[in-house]
C-alpha cells in the first residue's frame, strides 16, 4: 500500500512512544524512518524492529577520545552519538557495539546531518563504510545485520541537504498493519463516558 | 501569551482566508465547473477547477444520502452528507471513479499523492431545507435566518499534509501561491462553499423549475461555510511553537507599525469608521447559546458604543491616533481590545499586507548539543520564569490530561484522578516539563554539555531542544497551565481559528466550537469585483 511521509513519521513516533520510548527519541525515530523510506530503504521495518523491545538501560563507557555504547539500541545511542560529535568538544569518534538495527543508525545520521549541517562516516567492523549527509547516503560494501559494531566520525561540514525525495512509498500491507498496531499502544481505550464527555460535544448534530 | 488573550482574538486582514482571497483576486482566478452529475435530490458528484499560481486545483465533491442518526460533527462519524478531495490538476474519469469509492470513506479511504486535501461537510438541516423550500417557490429565504445561521453546511474536518495517505506538504513547498499556512485547506473550503450554493439552488430548481428563483447575490455572499472544531486544534498549537510564533509576530508587527503612525490620513480614518460601524452591526448579529460567551458579547456591544463615542473629529485628528486608541482600550475587555486591533489593521493594507508572506515556518526545534548545562539553567531561569512560577502541587492544577482515543483517534480530555489512561497523556504540559528539566539539571556540573546530559537522560530530550529553540521566539509558548481544571481549550481553538479568518465563534462547550468561514467573502462570480477584499465583519442588509 501507499503511505505518505507524514504517515510514516507520525505512526512510527506513536509506535515508539507507545512502547515506552521517551517522546523526544520517539519523534526522531519517526523522522529517521521517514528519511530512510524516502531514500528507498525499508525505514519502517527497521524502525519497528528497533522499537519493539522498548528501551533498556544503556551501557556507556567513556574514555578521553571516544564514547562507547555497549549493546547499542539505535533509537537511543544514535541520536546521542551524533549530538556528541556535533558538540565540537574534541571527541573523535563514538563507537556503537552490538547495534540492534544498523540501518536505523544511518537514518538518524541523515537527520543529524540535516540538523547540524554536517556529514558523518560510519565504519562497520565487517568492512562496510557509509557516508551520510542530509540528502543522501553512500554505502560501500554490505550493510551488516544486527549485532554489528560501528565507529561513527564527523566527516566535516555537509551540504544543507534536500527535503525528502517525494515518492509513492510502497509499504507491505502487513508491515504497515504492525506499525498501526504498535502505534495504537499510545491510544487510550474509549469508554461510554469518554465518548460522551471527553470531546465536549454531543453525539448527534441534527440542526 | 496567555490563554484569555488568545481566546479573545478576531480575524484580521492578515488572516489566511483574507490573504488567499486577495491573491485569487489579484490573479483574476476563475472557477469552472467541469462536472455536474447531481440528481434531482442533490446526490451525485461535481468537479470545480481553479488555476492558481500556474497550477490547476480541482475540488471533487460527492453528495450522498445520510441517515440522520449518523449525522455528527465529531471525528467519530462514519458517514457524511458530502465528502471532498482537492485534486492536484484535473481528474480523469478514472480518477473520479476511484475517488467516488475512496472519498466517502474519508479516514478509511486509500489516497495518493494527487489528493492534496480531504474534507467532509454536513448540512445545516434547518437552513438547507428552508432555503430549498423558499427558492423552489420563487421566494428568497428568510434573511434573519440567514443572518443567524450563516451557512448551508458545516465542514467537520479538513485534512492536509499527508494525512491518511494524501500528498505531503513537501509536494507544494515550491509553489508560492499555496505554500503559506493552510492555503490549500482554505482554498478547498472556499470551493466547498461555492458547491453548497450551487447544490441548494439545483435541488430547488429541480423541485419546481418554473417557480424557482436563484439566491439573491447579497444572500449568497452572506452564506459562508460552517465548521465544527474540537480539541484537535489545541495540540497543533502546542506542537508547532515556531509556527505559532510566526503568526503572532506578524500580527504584533502589523499592530506596532500602525500604532507608530503619527498622522492618520483622512482616508484611513474614514475607512476605520466605516469598518467600526459595520463591526458594531456584526456584533449585534452575533448571538450564541453559550452563557459565558454571550456575556462577553454583551459587554463588547456596550464597549463598542464607547469607542464610537470617543471617535469625535477632534479626538481623531490628534497625533498618534492608533496608539491613543490602543491606550484607551486598556479599560475595556480583552474581547474589545482584540476587536479594535482587527479594526485598526483593516485600513492599512499597504503598510502591513507584506507580513502575510512571513507567516509560514517549517522550522523544527533543533538541539544545541554544545550548550552547557550552566547556560541551559540560565536560559530556563531567565526566559522561562513563567513556567517555574506555576504551581503543580494542587490536585486541580493537574486535573486534566490530553489523550488520543482509540476511537477514530479522536483527541479527548480526561480527568486524571477519575479516568484511566493518564499514563498515555500527550506531552502538552510544557511548563511542567520545563520544571522537571530544571530540577534534573540542578545537580549536574555547570560545565557539562547538553549532549552529554541527554545521553544519560533522554527523557528530557524533547523539552531541552524545545526550550533551546523557542527561547528566542517570544510568542512560541502559551504561558498557561494546560492541565489545570480551569483551563479552557476553546481559547486555543479561537486563537487558531481567528488566524484562519473564522468569525461568529459559537462555543458549544469549553472544548468545542462552531464557527463561520468565508461569510461575506466573494463568491466565484464576485471574485473579480473591485471590492473583493472588503468583507471583514460582514452584515446582511435589508432586502433591496
Amino acid at each position: 500500500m501507499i503511505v505518505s511521509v507524514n504517515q510514516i513519521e507520525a505512526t512510527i513516533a506513536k509506535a515508539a512512544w507507545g512502547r515506552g520510548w521517551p517522546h523526544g527519541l520517539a519523534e526522531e525515530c519517526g523522522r529517521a524512518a521517514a528519511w530512510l523510506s524516502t531514500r528507498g530503504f525499508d525505514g519502517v521495518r527497521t524502525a519497528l524492529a528497533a522499537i519493539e523491545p522498548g528501551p533498556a538501560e544503556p551501557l556507556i563507557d567513556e574514555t578521553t577520545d571516544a564514547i562507547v555504547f555497549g549493546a547499542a539500541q539505535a533509537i537511543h545511542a544514535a541520536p546521542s552519538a551524533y549530538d556528541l560529535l556535533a558538540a565540537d568538544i574534541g571527541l573523535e569518534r563514538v563507537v556503537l557495539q552490538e547495534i540492534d538495527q544498523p540501518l536505523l543508525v544511518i537514518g538518524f545520521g541523515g537527520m543529524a546531518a540535516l540538523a547540524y549541517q554536517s556529514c558523518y562516516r560510519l565504519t562497520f567492523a565487517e568492512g562496510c563504510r557509509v557516508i551520510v549527509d542530509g540528502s543522501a547516503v553512500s554505502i560501500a560494501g554490505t550493510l551488516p545485520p544486527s549485532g554489528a559494531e560501528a565507529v561513527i566520525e564527523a566527516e566535516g561540514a555537509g551540504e544543507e541537504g534536500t527535503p525528502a525525495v517525494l515518492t509513492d512509498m510502497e509499504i507491505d500491507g502487513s508491515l504497515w498493519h504492525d506499525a498501526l498496531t504498535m502505534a495504537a499502544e499510545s491510544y487510550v481505550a474509549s469508554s461510554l463516558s469518554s465518548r460522551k464527555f471527553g470531546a465536549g460535544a454531543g453525539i448527534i448534530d441534527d440542526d | 501569551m496567555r490563554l484569555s488573550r488568545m481566546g479573545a482574538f478576531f480575524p484580521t486582514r492578515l488572516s489566511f482566508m483574507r490573504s488567499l482571497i486577495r491573491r485569487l483576486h489579484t490573479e483574476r482566478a476563475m472557477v469552472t465547473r467541469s462536472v455536474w452529475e447531481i440528481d434531482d435530490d442533490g446526490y451525485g458528484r461535481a468537479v470545480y477547477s481553479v488555476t492558481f499560481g500556474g497550477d490547476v486545483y480541482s475540488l471533487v465533491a460527492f453528495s450522498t444520502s445520510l441517515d440522520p442518526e449518523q449525522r455528527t460533527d465529531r471525528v467519530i462519524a462514519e458517514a457524511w452528507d458530502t465528502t471532498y478531495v482537492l485534486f492536484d490538476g484535473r481528474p480523469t474519469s478514472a480518477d473520479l471513479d476511484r475517488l467516488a469509492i475512496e472519498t466517502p470513506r474519508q479516514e478509511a479511504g486509500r489516497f495518493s499523492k494527487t489528493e492534496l486535501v480531504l474534507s467532509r461537510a454536513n448540512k445545516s438541516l434547518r437552513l438547507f431545507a428552508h432555503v430549498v423550500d423558499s427558492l423552489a417557490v420563487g421566494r428568497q429565504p428568510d434573511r434573519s435566518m440567514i443572518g443567524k445561521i450563516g451557512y448551508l453546511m458545516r465542514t467537520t474536518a479538513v485534512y492536509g499534509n499527508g494525512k491518511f495517505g494524501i500528498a505531503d506538504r513537501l509536494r507544494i513547498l515550491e509553489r508560492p501561491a499555496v505554500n503559506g499556512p493552510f492555503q490549500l485547506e482554505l482554498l478547498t473550503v472556499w470551493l466547498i462553499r461555492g458547491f453548497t450554493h450551487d447544490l441548494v439552488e439545483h435541488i430547488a430548481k429541480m423541485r419546481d423549475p418554473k417557480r424557482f428563483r436563484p439566491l439573491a447575490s447579497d444572500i449568497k455572499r452572506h452564506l459562508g461555510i460552517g465548521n465544527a472544531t474540537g480539541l484537535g486544534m489545541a495540540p497543533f498549537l502546542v506542537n508547532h511553537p515556531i509556527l505559532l510564533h510566526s503568526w503572532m509576530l506578524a500580527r504584533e508587527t502589523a499592530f506596532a507599525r500602525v500604532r507608530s503612525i503619527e498622522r492618520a490620513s483622512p482616508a484611513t480614518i474614514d475607512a476605520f469608521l466605516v469598518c467600526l460601524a459595520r463591526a458594531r452591526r456584526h456584533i449585534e448579529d452575533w448571538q450564541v447559546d453559550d452563557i459565558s460567551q454571550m456575556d462577553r458579547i454583551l459587554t463588547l456591544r456596550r464597549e463598542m458604543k464607547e469607542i464610537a463615542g470617543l471617535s469625535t473629529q477632534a479626538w481623531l485628528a490628534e497625533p498618534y491616533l492608533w496608539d491613543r486608541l490602543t491606550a484607551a482600550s486598556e479599560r475595556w475587555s480583552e474581547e474589545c481590545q482584540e476587536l479594535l486591533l482587527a479594526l485598526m489593521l483593516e485600513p492599512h493594507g499597504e503598510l502591513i499586507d507584506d507580513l502575510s508572506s512571513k507567516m509560514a515556518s517549517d522550522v523544527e526545534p533543533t538541539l544545541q548539543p554544545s550548550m552547557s548545562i550552566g547556560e541551559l539553567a540560565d536560559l530556563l531561569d531567565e526566559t522561562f520564569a513563567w513556567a517555574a512560577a506555576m504551581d503543580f502541587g494542587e490536585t486541580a492544577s493537574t486535573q486534566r490530561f490530553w489523550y488520543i482515543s482509540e476511537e477514530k483517534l479522536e483527541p479527548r480530555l480526561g480527568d486524571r484522578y477519575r479516568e484511566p489512561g493518564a499514563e498515555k497523556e500527550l506531552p502538552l504540559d510544557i511548563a511542567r516539563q520545563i520544571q522537571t528539566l530544571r530540577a534534573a539539571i540542578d545537580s549536574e556540573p555547570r560545565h557539562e554539555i547538553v549532549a552529554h546530559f541527554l545521553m544519560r537522560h533522554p527523557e528530557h530530550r524533547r523539552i531541552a531542544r524545545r526550550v533551546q529553540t523557542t527561547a528566542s521566539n517570544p510568542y512560541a509558548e502559551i504561558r498557561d497551565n494546560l492541565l489545570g481544571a480551569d483551563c479552557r481549550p476553546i481559547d486555543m481553538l479561537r486563537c487558531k481559528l481567528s488566524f484562519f479568518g473564522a468569525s461568529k465563534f459559537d462555543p458549544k462547550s469549553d472544548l468545542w466550537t462552531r464557527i463561520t468561514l468565508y461569510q461575506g467573502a466573494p463568491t466565484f462570480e464576485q471574485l473579480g469585483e473591485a471590492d473583493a477584499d472588503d468583507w471583514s465583519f460582514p452584515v446582511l442588509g435589508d432586502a433591496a
Side-chain angles (χ1 to χ4, degrees):
Chain A
M1 62 181 296
I2 305 293
V3 295
S4 68
V5 178
N6 183 310
Q7 280 180 298
I8 292 176
E9 272 192 34
T11 304
I12 293 299
K14 284 179 190 170
W17 170 38
R19 271 298 153 103
W21 293 93
H23 281 289
L25 294 178
E27 287 173 351
E28 289 178 37
C29 184
R31 289 184 204 140
W35 190 93
L36 287 168
S37 299
T38 54
R39 284 153 182 86
F41 296 98
D42 197 345
V44 171
R45 191 179 305 277
T46 191
L48 288 181
I51 289 166
E52 202 272 334
E57 190 65 30
L59 303 172
I60 305 168
D61 187 22
E62 300 183 53
T63 65
T64 51
D65 63 349
I67 290 179
V68 179
F69 288 82
Q73 290 187 290
I75 296 175
H76 169 253
S80 278
Y82 296 113
D83 290 347
L84 290 161
L85 291 168
D88 196 21
I89 50 171
L91 186 69
E92 292 181 1
R93 61 189 185 279
V94 178
V95 181
L96 273 53
Q97 297 175 333
E98 300 174 74
I99 305 168
D100 58 352
Q101 294 298 323
L103 179 60
L104 192 58
V105 176
I106 296 173
F108 277 108
M111 294 310 301
L114 278 173
Y116 301 137
Q117 293 185 19
S118 189
C119 182
Y120 299 98
R121 180 173 63 243
L122 287 73
T123 307
F124 288 90
E126 293 78 0
C128 173
R129 289 166 64 88
V130 177
I131 302 289
V132 59
D133 65 22
S135 58
V137 57
S138 67
I139 301 176
T142 304
L143 196 66
S146 298
E149 177 176 315
V151 176
I152 307 177
E153 298 160 284
E155 182 74 1
E159 294 179 9
E160 196 171 316
T162 54
V165 180
L166 269 185
T167 57
D168 275 339
M169 282 169 294
E170 188 78 38
I171 300 272
D172 174 70
S174 65
L175 178 68
W176 191 244
H177 178 265
D178 290 346
L180 294 175
T181 302
M182 220 181 281
E185 293 177 25
S186 67
Y187 308 146
V188 174
S190 185
S191 64
L192 208 57
S193 169
S194 75
R195 186 173 216 261
K196 198 168 177 186
F197 303 113
I203 303 295
I204 302 293
D205 298 283
D206 57 358
D207 62 343
Chain B
M1 196 166 45
R2 306 298 302 270
L3 279 177
S4 68
R5 172 71 60 183
M6 296 165 74
F9 278 14
F10 284 88
T12 72
R13 65 176 298 121
L14 294 179
S15 297
F16 309 140
M17 291 192 309
R18 291 287 298 280
S19 53
L20 175 67
I21 293 294
R22 273 199 295 275
R23 284 181 293 109
L24 284 166
H25 168 74
T26 303
E27 275 206 19
R28 300 182 183 281
M30 303 269 289
V31 179
T32 57
R33 195 174 81 183
S34 55
V35 175
W36 186 261
E37 297 169 4
I38 303 286
D39 68 17
D40 291 359
D41 295 319
Y43 305 128
R45 64 190 185 186
V47 177
Y48 295 80
S49 298
V50 60
T51 302
F52 188 33
D55 294 294
V56 176
Y57 302 97
S58 299
L59 179 80
V60 183
F62 299 95
S63 171
T64 50
S65 175
L66 179 66
D67 178 348
E69 289 297 308
Q70 288 190 287
R71 185 174 286 107
T72 174
D73 289 352
R74 297 266 297 270
V75 170
I76 56 176
E78 301 282 356
W80 303 268
D81 284 315
T82 58
T83 53
Y84 310 88
V85 295
L86 186 71
F87 189 89
D88 195 4
R90 295 183 199 278
T92 64
S93 58
D95 289 323
L96 290 181
D97 290 344
R98 175 176 60 84
L99 291 171
I101 296 167
E102 302 298 340
T103 309
R105 300 175 67 210
Q106 294 283 289
E107 294 95 332
R110 291 198 172 185
F111 300 98
S112 73
K113 63 183 180 183
T114 50
E115 284 85 70
L116 300 167
V117 176
L118 179 64
S119 185
R120 67 280 191 113
N122 286 336
K123 289 171 185 161
S124 166
L125 288 183
R126 289 174 295 166
L127 192 58
F128 198 95
H130 169 72
V131 174
V132 170
D133 292 345
S134 303
L135 298 181
V137 296
R139 282 200 315 263
Q140 289 300 315
D142 179 67
R143 297 176 86 86
S144 67
M145 220 170 147
I146 297 286
K148 186 162 183 258
I149 299 172
Y151 52 79
L152 295 165
M153 288 194 194
R154 279 191 301 275
T155 55
T156 65
V158 185
Y159 297 116
N161 191 18
K163 298 273 170 39
F164 310 109
I166 61 176
D168 285 294
R169 181 171 156 72
L170 290 166
R171 184 177 174 91
I172 53 124
L173 273 187
E174 303 302 319
R175 302 186 197 179
V178 294
N179 68 5
F182 297 99
Q183 293 295 280
L184 280 181
E185 289 87 341
L186 291 170
L187 175 63
T188 304
V189 173
W190 183 64
L191 293 169
I192 292 173
R193 175 205 184 214
F195 170 70
T196 69
H197 293 166
D198 285 359
L199 186 67
V200 79
E201 287 185 336
H202 170 84
I203 298 170
K205 187 175 182 180
M206 291 302 105
R207 189 180 293 178
D208 193 339
K210 288 184 179 167
R211 297 169 72 192
F212 165 76
R213 290 288 178 276
L215 281 164
S217 68
D218 65 331
I219 290 179
K220 195 171 182 178
R221 187 162 181 151
H222 202 69
L223 283 169
I225 186 93
N227 176 266
T229 297
L231 287 175
M233 283 204 167
F236 180 93
L237 283 187
V238 180
N239 290 333
H240 296 83
I242 307 302
L243 185 62
L244 176 61
H245 169 80
S246 301
W247 297 358
M248 295 299 301
L249 182 64
R251 191 173 180 276
E252 292 300 312
T253 302
F255 190 33
R257 284 183 188 174
V258 171
R259 288 178 66 180
S260 68
I261 296 171
E262 183 177 354
R263 290 283 170 195
S265 72
T268 54
I269 292 174
D270 287 348
F272 169 77
L273 292 175
V274 167
C275 204
L276 174 64
R278 194 165 66 200
R280 284 186 66 182
R281 292 178 60 200
H282 178 88
I283 302 300
E284 288 295 328
D285 285 348
W286 187 13
Q287 302 273 354
V288 299
D289 296 331
D290 183 80
I291 293 170
S292 169
Q293 183 57 45
M294 200 59 228
D295 279 348
R296 292 162 61 145
I297 293 170
L298 291 173
T299 301
L300 179 59
R301 288 176 185 166
R302 284 197 302 274
E303 291 169 338
M304 290 190 79
K305 279 185 193 167
E306 292 184 46
I307 300 172
L310 195 66
S311 305
T312 62
Q313 285 302 319
W315 199 84
L316 294 170
E318 292 292 313
Y320 294 105
L321 166 62
W322 312 116
D323 192 52
R324 283 185 293 112
L325 201 47
T326 303
S329 75
E330 286 177 12
R331 64 178 183 268
W332 297 318
S333 64
E334 286 179 308
E335 194 106 19
C336 185
Q337 292 167 10
E338 293 304 318
L339 178 63
L340 257 181
L341 180 150
L343 294 174
M344 284 192 274
L345 298 191
E346 197 58 39
H348 293 100
E350 286 187 16
L351 184 67
I352 65 171
D353 282 352
D354 64 300
L355 295 165
S356 297
S357 63
K358 297 179 170 62
M359 297 173 85
S361 174
D362 290 312
V363 173
E364 294 284 349
T366 302
L367 195 73
Q368 298 170 41
S370 57
M371 179 182 278
S372 73
I373 291 298
E375 288 174 301
L376 180 60
D378 293 344
L379 186 78
L380 293 174
D381 294 344
E382 290 161 15
T383 310
F384 295 90
W386 58 270
M390 281 185 201
D391 180 3
F392 291 101
E394 297 293 322
T395 300
S397 66
T398 54
Q399 192 87 38
R400 288 173 148 177
F401 70 98
W402 299 72
Y403 66 91
I404 302 294
S405 168
E406 66 175 5
E407 190 179 13
K408 283 203 78 184
L409 312 192
E410 184 175 61
R412 292 180 185 171
L413 261 180
D415 184 324
R416 187 182 308 276
Y417 304 107
R418 291 181 186 163
E419 296 174 50
E423 72 282 2
K424 296 179 180 177
E425 76 175 308
L426 296 170
L428 304 186
D429 54 334
I430 302 303
R432 192 170 64 162
Q433 291 178 54
I434 289 172
Q435 288 188 8
T436 307
L437 172 65
R438 184 65 187 87
I441 63 174
D442 222 20
S443 55
E444 299 289 323
R446 281 184 66 85
H447 65 270
E448 180 70 276
I449 61 167
V450 165
H452 201 265
F453 168 74
L454 293 179
M455 178 180 75
R456 297 195 179 277
H457 300 283
E459 67 274 19
H460 298 296
R461 186 176 185 84
R462 187 172 189 268
I463 191 66
R465 71 167 183 246
R466 181 179 179 112
V467 297
Q468 287 180 324
T469 307
T470 62
S472 57
N473 296 274
Y475 303 115
E477 300 290 4
I478 300 166
R479 301 183 177 192
D480 271 300
N481 175 14
L482 306 188
L483 308 182
D486 57 353
C487 171
R488 282 169 33 98
I490 199 167
D491 292 336
M492 285 181 272
L493 272 51
R494 178 156 166 183
C495 169
K496 187 179 176 197
L497 291 164
S498 75
F499 277 104
F500 284 14
S503 59
K504 300 273 179 76
F505 296 94
D506 182 7
K508 295 302 171 190
S509 72
D510 279 356
L511 317 182
W512 185 260
T513 188
R514 287 183 185 166
I515 52 166
T516 308
L517 302 165
Y518 288 118
Q519 187 173 49
T523 60
F524 297 160
E525 302 81 20
Q526 294 162 337
L527 193 60
E529 293 178 1
D531 65 347
D533 194 30
D534 185 25
W535 54 282
S536 63
F537 303 103
V539 291
L540 181 62
D542 298 329

